[in-house]
Amino acid sequence: MRGLSYRLNSAREPDDPGGVFYGWWVLSAAVVLGFFAFGVVIPGYLAFSVPIRGELGLTSGQSAFVVGAAWGVGDVTSLAAGWLADRYGARRLILAGGLLSGLGFAALGFADSFWAIVATYSVAASIGRGLGIFPTLMTVVNQWFEQRKALALAVINTGVMGGAAAILPALSASADQFGWRATAMVAGVLICILTIPAAAIIRSRPEDMGLQPYGAGVIDSTPAGRGSRLAGTAGLQRRDYSATQALVTLSFWALTVGAALRTVPSDVLVINQIPILIWKGVAEERTSIYLSITYFATIPARFGMGLAAAWASPRWLLSGAMALVALCSVAALLLDGDAVAWFLIVSSATGQGVSSLAWITVGEYFGRRSFGTLVGVMTLFYGISGPVVPAAAGWVFDRTGSFVPVLVAVGVLQAISASAFLLARRPGE
């Protein structure tokens, strides 16, 4: 036990008299920046969608395109960001991306046409988000932890989604009180202000400070570790895969297909949630409340599934959760009224838990060496559909007055995702 204690202590910051490993400061800075920046940029337009549509006369399809394009552009940018972070470190990316994201969102306040909104929000702010906010912040956190990796990644994933939950109603309230233009400008400036100290604290890798990742080479003796498929069973050494080595495994592609077919339907449902609920007979004044609850519900789901990874096989968790998501979509198709909102909330929250666990699984299966690149490849596969699929769902409703075809397609894709995740075994098992 004395030997194990020494090895645990050696993973901490030697120059810090409090004995706090510097990675925890990195995690804290990443959570704060991700909470606010991701929380503003991702749901930001949804908070303004009603006044923007009224002021500029956008259709459902155009409004869905703005958000879908924004999320897609950010996801595609993540491919380059992940590659750069793996090779050159993520600290400069966080600074540049955070500032670009904030400036782009602030410029949204000056937009006076559909294409101006696309340029400021869907392009500038979203490139900044993909470059320096998420998943780049997650890539940094993955570099700093071996032991407690699942916990650290669950915290950063929960933090960024918690921002979306907390900031969406704040943006909506501010838009009602001060106008959406002023709100966008102030929120964008605040992103820039928070980016600077966060980038000053964050270091790309522990090796940059003469440290090793937390718990490097240490056998996890906790109860979670002894029974874990992810946290590290005694004697099991986590292998660091190169991108080439990971890309030829069935596990990586099973995770990629499962994640893509989780994300695309989820984006369709969240982006079109308000018109879907109105179509199902929910009073318009309650739809924004349900959207806020949707984001809040993702917080315990993300963190809970991250912790569950220490006790159960990830592929069974991923597959079972997606089966539940598919059943919720079927229920939303068959029911009417406020009950539909609650099934969509459960669907979205569970799906976000799947997202968190999928990223954790990538880090656990393939290590630190190419995590950013692998995450970038995964996000590319669903990012390229971002500008198209949600807008197509809105277009279907504009033309037919019905979301039935959309909900049927969503349920089928979610069921395929559940099947794909079953194939995602740890490489070598």
Side-chain angles (χ1 to χ4, degrees), residues 135-426:
T136 304
L137 293 173
M138 184 173 61
T139 301
V140 168
V141 171
N142 182 69
Q143 286 287 343
W144 278 88
F145 292 88
E146 285 292 338
Q147 192 184 18
R148 305 291 186 265
K149 182 188 290 285
L151 173 62
L153 290 177
V155 168
I156 183 63
N157 274 277
T158 304
V160 296
M161 190 51 61
I167 292 174
L168 174 63
L171 290 174
S172 297
S174 179
D176 290 339
Q177 183 70 26
F178 304 106
W180 68 271
R181 294 183 182 277
T183 300
M185 287 185 278
V186 172
V189 170
L190 289 176
I191 291 175
C192 294
I193 292 173
L194 281 175
T195 295
I196 295 172
I201 294 171
I202 290 171
R203 297 294 187 275
S204 299
R205 302 178 181 90
E207 290 85 354
D208 296 342
M209 301 181 68
L211 300 174
Q212 292 296 313
Y214 184 84
V218 177
I219 295 173
D220 190 350
S221 62
T222 64
R226 287 197 298 269
S228 173
R229 301 293 300 276
L230 285 181
T233 312
L236 177 63
Q237 297 296 317
R238 182 184 290 111
R239 175 182 173 187
D240 267 340
Y241 284 73
S242 70
T244 301
Q245 291 169 332
L247 289 172
V248 298
T249 64
L250 174 62
S251 298
F252 175 78
W253 291 108
L255 286 170
T256 299
V257 172
L261 296 184
R262 180 215 72 82
T263 304
V264 173
S266 176
D267 289 353
V268 168
L269 293 180
V270 172
I271 292 172
N272 292 282
Q273 179 170 319
I274 289 177
I276 288 174
L277 293 180
I278 294 173
W279 171 65
K280 282 291 188 175
V282 178
E284 184 173 347
E285 60 269 19
R286 292 202 298 274
T287 58
S288 60
I289 297 174
Y290 283 131
L291 184 60
S292 296
I293 294 173
T294 297
Y295 278 102
F296 274 109
T298 64
I299 298 174
R302 276 180 172 258
F303 193 69
M305 288 194 69
L307 293 183
W311 302 96
S313 169
R315 67 190 185 101
W316 289 107
L317 285 173
L318 291 166
S319 182
M322 283 309 301
L324 173 61
V325 169
L327 290 175
C328 287
S329 295
V330 172
L333 174 64
L334 298 177
L335 299 175
D336 290 304
D338 288 64
V340 174
W342 294 108
F343 277 104
L344 291 181
I345 289 168
V346 172
S347 173
S348 180
T350 306
Q352 289 298 325
V354 167
S355 176
S356 178
L357 180 54
W359 299 137
I360 291 170
T361 304
V362 172
E364 293 288 348
Y365 278 12
F366 302 108
R368 302 167 59 225
R369 181 177 175 186
S370 300
F371 179 82
T373 303
L374 297 177
V375 167
V377 171
M378 291 176 70
T379 56
L380 175 66
F381 275 85
Y382 55 78
I384 56 178
S385 67
V388 178
V389 179
W395 180 87
V396 168
F397 180 71
D398 287 336
R399 296 298 184 276
T400 66
S402 172
F403 277 107
V404 169
V406 173
L407 292 174
V408 169
V410 161
V412 170
L413 293 177
Q414 290 165 340
I416 297 174
S417 172
S419 300
F421 278 131
L422 279 178
L423 301 176
R425 297 177 179 270
R426 181 186 290 272

